[in-house]
């Protein structure tokens, strides 16, 4: 920690550090516990099996951030890092248009939509080395754009098996890139107050779990954390997604269970997906 | 891990590389993530020269290897122009998939043996080649490709012999009998920009039948690093092909049962995150139903609610609307 005081920082970095970022007060209040929502410098991990609405929740969070204040948004800029290549801009626009419904007539709605889309930037990465270099490059971007408050990574576990294959037989070498990415994210969130949302896939079966349910498709059985320790250390909020067995109006119901390092207990929310995004139950 | 080499970028001379190696830095990732000031002080050359050289090299390497952000508005406008929806040739399947295969997405067809996956793939290839007049890349891994059957399906759609031959020429078949040749195939095509086999028409779809034939023995039980890594690399190549070149990718997969007896698609949980849409094909259990009928269920979709079901006719012997005609063999 003391070594940090000996490094110099540029004027722009000093300014970015002192000015501070807008807080994300009340974002997705349904999912996060009261007084426990993500603020500047928090890292939220969204964990779940396939088809459990993690990317859909990210679309909801993006729309909460980029929409103007009169439509219920926070008007902050978002940087979206897409490693899964699942980001569907057409679906995001459908969600935004659903929330812009009460805004009025056609041309005003279109202007608002374009203004909101200008607050979003999307980067695509195809390997963990490229992810590391892109995050390093983005550090400069965070420095120079103070209205950029949110970084979303979908998903941070996309290169897990490829790294394991490239790293030979030593776990330290296998995790090296993700370890560096996690340290870099830690530095970015501390220096610039950025909130990080990242999704992870549930792929490791938890053999030690004493779950009594006979079906093996519950997320509790696939909850084992498998990413490197550096990543697990910086996570402050963890949301676990799963599908419920009930149907509401013939629509699949999903559940999100949120636990944070600052509050006790787990907050559960139920929601289903409509044409215009998430609808909380 | 990209190793630093002379000539990789303008400032990277032999002396600089030796100086970096003596400080323990061998790869691009290591160079750009260390503190330049500390590094310059550790090396034995003059501080000013090495600091400037390192900053310049670092900037160039970052520019060469990073991905650059695109504004949401530009991405949206680009997608509006370039996304296309390819009909599968089967109206019930189109209804299930929200009018067809979308370019830029991976669709998975899973089903047991004899459930009609290869027939559906043939139907998609023939429809794209005959009606939409675009090229199709068909990768055959299990030897299920039958040119005679393709000709039969083309003849049901197009009358003249010359046009039938032209349509067949737009379907390019490649055999990949192991995972390495599949990966090599995909990487070659991506590097060549899908140009080399176009014959005047652009390729709009890549079909892999079947992916599980190559990878099912690597998954399940004790997962080997190399096997899973190979499968995820193939997944990465398919995703990049679909996004960069605007093609629709269709892959087929087998099915297994989980511990409660429910059918699910094979290749494990790591693969299950890859496709954007998944259709499960099963034989129709009704007594007296026709042998060419199948039930398709949508089990994963980015646009439609899940668990929609439709009945499909996979005989493909009539031109349009196969659902309301009883088929005679």
């Amino acid at each position: 920690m003391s070594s940090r005081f000996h490094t110099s920082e540029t004027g722009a970095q000093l300014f970015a550090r002192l000015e501070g970022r807008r807080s994300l007060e009340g974002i997705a209040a349904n999912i996060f516990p009261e007084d426990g929502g993500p603020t500047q410098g928090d890292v939220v991990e969204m964990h779940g099996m396939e088809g459990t609405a993690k990317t859909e929740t990210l679309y909801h969070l993006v729309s909460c951030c980029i929409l103007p204040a009169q439509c219920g948004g926070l008007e902050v800029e978002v940087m979206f890092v897409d490693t899964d290549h699942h980001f569907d801009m057409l679906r995001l626009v459908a969600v935004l248009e659903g929330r812009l419904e009460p805004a009025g007539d056609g041309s005003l709605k279109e202007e608002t939509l374009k203004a909101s889309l200008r607050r979003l930037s999307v980067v695509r990465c195809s390997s963990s080395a490229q992810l590391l270099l892109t995050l390093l490059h983005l550090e400069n971007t965070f420095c120079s754009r103070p209205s950029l408050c949110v970084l979303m990574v979908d998903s941070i576990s996309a290169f897990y098996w490829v790294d394991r294959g490239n790293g030979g037989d030593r776990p330290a070498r296998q995790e090296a890139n993700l370890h560096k990415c996690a340290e870099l994210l830690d530095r970015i969130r501390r220096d610039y107050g950025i909130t990080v949302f990242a999704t992870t896939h549930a792929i490791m079966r938890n053999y030690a779990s004493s779950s009594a349910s006979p079906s093996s498709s519950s997320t509790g059985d696939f909850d084992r954390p498998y990413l490197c320790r550096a990543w697990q250390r910086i996570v402050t909020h963890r949301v676990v997604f799963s599908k419920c067995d009930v149907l509401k109006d013939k629509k699949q119901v999903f559940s999100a269970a949120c636990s944070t390092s600052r509050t006790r207990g787990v907050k559960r929310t139920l929601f289903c997906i409509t044409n215009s995004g998430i609808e909380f139950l | 891990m990209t190793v630093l080499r002379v000539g990789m970028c303008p400032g990277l001379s032999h002396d600089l590389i030796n100086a970096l190696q003596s400080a323990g830095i061998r790869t691009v990732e290591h160079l750009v993530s260390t503190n330049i000031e500390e590094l310059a002080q550790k090396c034995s050359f003059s501080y000013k020269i090495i600091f400037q050289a390192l900053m310049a090299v670092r900037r160039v390497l970052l520019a060469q290897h990073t991905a650059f952000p695109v504004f949401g508005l530009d991405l949206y406008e680009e997608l509006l122009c370039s996304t296309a929806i390819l009909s599968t040739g089967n109206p019930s399947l189109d209804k299930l998939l929200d009018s067809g295969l979308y370019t830029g997405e991976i669709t998975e067809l899973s089903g047991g043996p004899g459930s009609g996956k290869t027939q559906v793939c043939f139907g998609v290839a023939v429809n794209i080649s005959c009606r939409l007049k675009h090229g199709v890349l068909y990768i055959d891994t299990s030897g299920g490709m039958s040119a005679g059957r393709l000709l039969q399906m083309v003849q049901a759609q197009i009358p003249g012999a010359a046009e039938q031959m032209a349509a067949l020429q737009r379907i390019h078949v490649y055999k990949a009998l192991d995972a390495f040749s599949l990966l090599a195939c995909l990487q070659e095509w991506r590097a060549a920009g899908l140009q080399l086999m176009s014959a005047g028409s652009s390729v709009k779809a890549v079909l892999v039948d079947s992916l599980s034939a190559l990878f099912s023995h690597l998954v399940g039980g004790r997962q080997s690093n190399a096997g899973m890594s190979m499968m995820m690399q193939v997944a990465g190549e398919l995703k990049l092909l679909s996004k960069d070149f605007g093609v629709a990718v269709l892959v087929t997969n087998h099915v297994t049962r989980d511990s409660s007896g429910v059918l699910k698609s094979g290749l494990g949980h790591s693969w299950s995150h890859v496709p954007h849409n998944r259709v499960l094909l099963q034989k129709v259990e009704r007594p007296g139903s026709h042998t060419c009928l199948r039930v398709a269920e949508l089990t994963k979709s980015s646009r439609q609610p899940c668990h929609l079901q439709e009945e499909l006719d996979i005989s493909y012997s009539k031109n349009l609307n196969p659902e309301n005609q009883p088929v005679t063999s």
Side-chain angles (χ1 to χ4, degrees), chain A residues 60-87:
Chain A
H60 174 79
L61 290 168
V62 168
S63 66
C64 285
C65 289
I66 63 178
L67 281 176
Q70 64 259 31
C71 300
L74 296 166
E75 274 188 49
V76 296
E77 290 182 20
V78 175
M79 177 68 69
F80 195 104
V81 178
D82 183 19
T83 59
D84 246 359
H85 302 273
H86 266 208
F87 183 70

Side-chain angles (χ1 to χ4, degrees), chain B residues 88-168:
Chain B
T88 57
N90 198 317
S92 326
L93 190 56
D94 282 347
K95 205 160 112 188
L96 210 57
L97 291 173
D98 195 18
S99 43
L101 299 174
Y102 278 61
T103 55
E105 288 192 357
I106 300 184
T107 307
E108 180 186 307
L109 263 186
S110 44
S115 54
K117 310 185 289 289
T118 307
Q119 292 300 309
V120 172
C121 286
F122 285 168
V124 170
V126 163
N127 192 60
I128 294 179
S129 151
C130 294
R131 295 250 215 91
L132 307 177
K133 304 221 182 339
H134 281 300
V136 174
L137 291 174
Y138 193 108
I139 307 180
D140 179 28
T141 67
S142 53
M145 161 55 69
S146 156
R149 176 67 182 138
L150 275 185
L151 179 61
Q152 205 180 42
M153 290 166 89
V154 168
Q155 279 168 342
Q157 300 224 7
I158 300 182
E163 285 143 13
Q164 285 164 7
M165 280 306 121
L168 278 183

Side-chain angles (χ1 to χ4, degrees), chain A residues 14-23 40 146-147 149 191-193:
Chain A
L14 175 71
F15 187 69
R17 193 162 51 86
L18 293 179
E19 169 155 330
R21 309 275 160 161
R22 272 206 60 184
S23 94
Q40 292 145 338
S147 53
C149 308
D191 287 351
Y192 305 107

Side-chain angles (χ1 to χ4, degrees), chain A residues 69-143:
Chain A
Q70 64 259 31
C71 300
L74 296 166
E75 274 188 49
V76 296
E77 290 182 20
V78 175
M79 177 68 69
F80 195 104
V81 178
D82 183 19
T83 59
D84 246 359
H85 302 273
H86 266 208
F87 183 70
D88 186 5
M89 182 53 98
L90 302 175
R91 172 72 187 148
L92 176 64
V93 168
V95 169
L96 286 172
E97 281 176 347
R99 287 184 68 161
L100 281 175
E101 273 307 305
D105 63 339
S107 64
L108 180 62
K109 206 164 126 179
E110 187 155 332
E111 277 313 308
T112 320
L113 182 69
K114 287 194 173 154
S116 308
L117 284 180
R118 280 191 200 101
R119 292 189 197 107
L120 171 68
S121 311
V122 179
V123 195
R124 288 216 164 97
C125 293
S126 51
S127 72
S128 56
Q130 195 180 38
L131 176 64
L132 175 65
L133 295 178
T134 307
L135 286 177
L136 278 166
H137 179 80
L138 286 180
E139 203 180 346
N140 288 336
T141 317
F142 285 123
C143 203

Side-chain angles (χ1 to χ4, degrees), chain A residues 12-42:
Chain A
Q13 284 172 326
L14 175 71
F15 187 69
R17 193 162 51 86
L18 293 179
E19 169 155 330
R21 309 275 160 161
R22 272 206 60 184
S23 94
L24 299 179
E25 197 71 50
I27 189 175
N30 296 356
I31 301 181
F32 299 106
E34 292 175 23
D35 301 334
T39 58
Q40 292 145 338
D42 278 344

Side-chain angles (χ1 to χ4, degrees), chain A residues 3-4 23 56 90 112 120 122 161 182 188 215 242 267 269 272:
Chain A
S3 64
R4 283 216 52 227
S23 94
E56 196 62 43
L90 302 175
T112 320
L120 171 68
V122 179
W161 283 113
I188 289 179
S215 118
S242 55
K267 178 172 181 194
T269 328
C272 58

Side-chain angles (χ1 to χ4, degrees), chain A:
Chain A
M1 182 66 190
S2 60
S3 64
R4 283 216 52 227
F5 292 110
H6 296 301
T7 61
S8 57
E9 60 183 349
T10 66
Q13 284 172 326
L14 175 71
F15 187 69
R17 193 162 51 86
L18 293 179
E19 169 155 330
R21 309 275 160 161
R22 272 206 60 184
S23 94
L24 299 179
E25 197 71 50
I27 189 175
N30 296 356
I31 301 181
F32 299 106
E34 292 175 23
D35 301 334
T39 58
Q40 292 145 338
D42 278 344
V43 176
V44 179
E45 179 185 343
M46 296 159 65
H47 187 80
M49 287 174 51
E50 63 98 10
T52 48
K54 305 186 291 293
T55 308
E56 196 62 43
T57 311
L58 279 184
Y59 293 153
H60 174 79
L61 290 168
V62 168
S63 66
C64 285
C65 289
I66 63 178
L67 281 176
Q70 64 259 31
C71 300
L74 296 166
E75 274 188 49
V76 296
E77 290 182 20
V78 175
M79 177 68 69
F80 195 104
V81 178
D82 183 19
T83 59
D84 246 359
H85 302 273
H86 266 208
F87 183 70
D88 186 5
M89 182 53 98
L90 302 175
R91 172 72 187 148
L92 176 64
V93 168
V95 169
L96 286 172
E97 281 176 347
R99 287 184 68 161
L100 281 175
E101 273 307 305
D105 63 339
S107 64
L108 180 62
K109 206 164 126 179
E110 187 155 332
E111 277 313 308
T112 320
L113 182 69
K114 287 194 173 154
S116 308
L117 284 180
R118 280 191 200 101
R119 292 189 197 107
L120 171 68
S121 311
V122 179
V123 195
R124 288 216 164 97
C125 293
S126 51
S127 72
S128 56
Q130 195 180 38
L131 176 64
L132 175 65
L133 295 178
T134 307
L135 286 177
L136 278 166
H137 179 80
L138 286 180
E139 203 180 346
N140 288 336
T141 317
F142 285 123
C143 203
S144 55
R145 274 163 62 178
S147 53
L148 195 52
C149 308
V150 177
L151 171 68
M152 293 190 179
V153 184
D154 181 25
S155 67
I156 201 145
S157 62
F159 308 121
Y160 175 70
W161 283 113
V162 180
D163 283 347
R164 261 183 83 163
N166 287 340
D169 52 1
R170 282 184 299 169
R173 263 188 73 189
Q174 288 167 6
E175 296 177 340
N177 275 342
L178 191 60
H179 185 93
K180 291 199 180 91
C181 285
E183 284 179 344
L184 184 56
L185 281 175
D186 196 26
R187 203 168 80 211
I188 289 179
R189 67 161 192 99
R190 255 183 305 139
D191 287 351
Y192 305 107
I194 306 284
T195 313
V196 179
F197 293 88
T199 59
T200 52
H201 299 153
I203 56 177
M204 290 292 189
R205 189 185 286 267
N206 201 350
Y207 286 109
S209 98
S210 53
S211 154
S213 78
S215 118
S216 66
S217 57
S218 64
T219 310
D221 282 342
F222 284 89
D223 205 5
R224 197 172 105 198
Y226 57 92
L227 294 175
C228 62
R229 287 235 178 275
W231 168 256
Q232 288 168 32
R233 250 181 279 138
I234 65 174
V235 172
T236 56
H237 292 62
R238 196 154 193 264
V239 187
V240 178
F241 288 85
S242 55
K243 279 191 198 169
C244 298
D245 288 329
V246 296
L247 291 176
K248 179 180 186 278
D249 301 334
K250 294 200 198 147
K251 282 198 271 238
Q252 174 76 51
V253 174
F254 300 91
S255 111
C258 176
S259 54
T260 78
S261 55
R262 287 198 285 271
T263 60
R264 251 184 260 164
V266 175
K267 178 172 181 194
R268 265 179 229 281
T269 328
L270 295 177
F271 59 91
C272 58
I273 302 183
T274 60
N275 274 341
S276 48
I278 286 187
E279 191 187 292
F280 290 101
L281 299 176

